[in-house]
Amino acid sequence: MIVIDRMALADCFSPLDIVREIFKANPNLRPPIPVEEIAKASGISQIFECEKLSITPVLGFMVSDEGKQQGIIKIAQTPSLGRKRFTIGHELGHFLIPSHSSYSLDVKNGPSVDKNVEAEADEFSSELLLPLHLLKPIFYSQKPTISKAIEVANIFEMSVQATINRLISSNLWPHAVAVFLDENKKIQYIKALDDQYYDCFLYRKGDSCSEKWKQTPLRGETITRDAPVDEWFNSEANLEGTIKEEIHCYHDSDYIILVLRLITS
C-alpha cells in the first residue's frame, strides 16, 4: 500500500525534496515504480488515456481544485509504456509541486510553454521513476553500454531515451554523449552532461551523420567501433583519447541511438 502524507509534502518545495519524502514514506518501493498508484494516493482521482485530445500535439494535462487536494490527469494515447509512465509522472509533478498551477496543459514544442515549470515537472518524473538509489546498483553492475541501458529501461518500464538521459545527466555514464536520430538518420536530440562536449560537437539538431558508418545496424542490433576524436569534436574541445562508438537501432523502428564515450586510457 502506497502512503502519501500531503502534510509532509507541504514542506517540500523542490522536485527532489518531494520525491525524497515519497520514498521516505515508502522505503520498500522497487522498480518499476508504481506511478499510477502513487498518483492516486496523492489525490489524483482518475487517470485517462485518450486516443485524441482536443489540442494537438498535447502530451497530457492535469486539472485540480484550487488547493490541489484532488485532481485528474489525461494523457495522449501512446503505444510506448515508458512514454505513458513518464507523462503521468510529469503531470503528477505539476500537481505536487506547490508553485505550479492547478491546471497544466503540456503541448509539445508549444510557444507558450514555461520552460522552467516544464523542466521541474520533467525532473520530478525522472527522479520518481528512475531514482538514483535504485538505478546505480543495477547500472553499475556491469560496464556501461547501450545494451545495459536498454536492460535498465526494461526493468524500470521507461523509454530508452529517458533512461539514457537520466544516466548521462546523473553522471552515471561519464564522458558520454548520446545522439538520437530519426528514421531518416537526422539528429533529433543530443544529450551531454559536460558543456564542453556539446559546445565542441561537430553536429547539431537536423544534421545527418550516418555517412560516417560503413554499415547501419539492423533493428535490435548494436554496432561498435573506435573513432578518432576529431571525427566528432572540433579542436577547441582539447580532448585526448579515443571515441568508443555504439550505434543501436530500435527493435521496433528505424530510429537510432548513438552513444559516444571518450576513452582516455
Side-chain angles (χ1 to χ4, degrees):
M1 179 180 176
I2 302 297
V3 176
I4 301 295
D5 185 346
R6 293 297 300 273
M7 292 292 289
L9 292 184
D11 294 326
C12 302
F13 299 98
S14 73
L16 180 56
D17 286 344
I18 296 170
V19 171
R20 282 175 174 167
E21 186 61 38
I22 290 172
F23 279 104
K24 179 181 177 182
N26 301 273
N28 295 321
L29 286 175
R30 294 293 181 268
I33 304 302
V35 63
E36 293 192 40
E37 291 180 42
I38 292 172
K40 289 178 179 179
S42 299
I44 296 296
S45 58
Q46 290 181 297
I47 299 173
F48 301 95
E49 190 173 3
C50 304
E51 182 176 354
K52 288 185 178 180
L53 295 178
S54 57
I55 303 174
T56 303
V58 172
L59 301 177
F61 67 88
M62 180 279 299
V63 180
S64 74
D65 62 298
E66 188 174 347
K68 293 207 293 186
Q69 295 302 307
Q70 297 287 327
I72 64 168
I73 289 173
K74 282 192 177 184
I75 64 170
Q77 192 174 69
T78 171
S80 168
L81 176 60
R83 177 72 262 175
K84 173 184 174 180
R85 285 168 50 77
F86 191 90
T87 302
I88 292 172
H90 178 101
E91 298 305 329
L92 179 59
H94 286 307
F95 181 68
L96 291 179
I97 298 171
S99 60
H100 290 203
S101 168
S102 59
Y103 172 81
S104 72
L105 178 66
D106 295 308
V107 183
K108 187 176 182 181
N109 301 321
S112 60
V113 168
D114 185 323
K115 292 184 178 180
N116 290 332
V117 167
E118 295 307 307
E120 285 187 337
D122 279 348
E123 179 187 355
F124 175 90
S125 189
S126 184
E127 292 284 355
L128 179 67
L129 300 178
L130 291 163
L132 292 185
H133 71 283
L134 298 178
L135 194 59
K136 284 181 181 179
I138 298 173
F139 190 65
Y140 273 172
S141 64
Q142 297 178 18
K143 183 179 179 181
T145 63
I146 285 181
S147 295
K148 186 62 181 176
I150 293 171
E151 179 185 332
V152 170
N154 290 334
I155 291 171
F156 284 84
E157 294 186 351
M158 296 298 289
S159 71
V160 176
Q161 180 171 338
T163 302
I164 290 179
N165 284 346
R166 178 66 163 157
L167 293 170
I168 291 178
S169 64
S170 303
N171 204 26
L172 296 183
W173 206 338
H175 308 297
V177 176
V179 184
F180 299 89
L181 297 93
D182 63 19
E183 69 273 18
N184 298 313
K185 310 301 181 287
K186 291 189 176 182
I187 295 175
Q188 284 188 313
Y189 180 73
I190 301 168
K191 181 67 177 181
L193 176 63
D194 194 325
D195 288 342
Q196 177 190 19
Y197 291 135
Y198 183 81
D199 294 342
C200 298
F201 197 62
L202 292 175
Y203 298 90
R204 287 291 180 264
K205 182 177 179 180
D207 291 346
S208 174
C209 56
S210 59
E211 72 280 356
K212 290 183 174 295
W213 311 329
K214 293 181 180 179
Q215 64 180 118
T216 301
L218 301 174
R219 289 190 177 186
E221 183 183 20
T222 302
I223 296 174
T224 63
R225 78 171 183 120
D226 293 338
V229 170
D230 61 8
E231 279 199 13
W232 293 103
F233 299 92
N234 63 35
S235 58
E236 294 179 5
N238 196 28
L239 299 174
E240 295 183 1
T242 302
I243 298 296
K244 175 71 73 175
E245 294 180 6
E246 284 190 275
I247 311 162
H248 177 83
C249 185
Y250 284 79
H251 74 280
D252 57 353
S253 74
D254 292 324
Y255 283 64
I256 283 178
I257 311 165
L258 169 65
V259 174
L260 311 170
R261 189 178 185 192
L262 179 67
I263 307 299
T264 56
S265 61

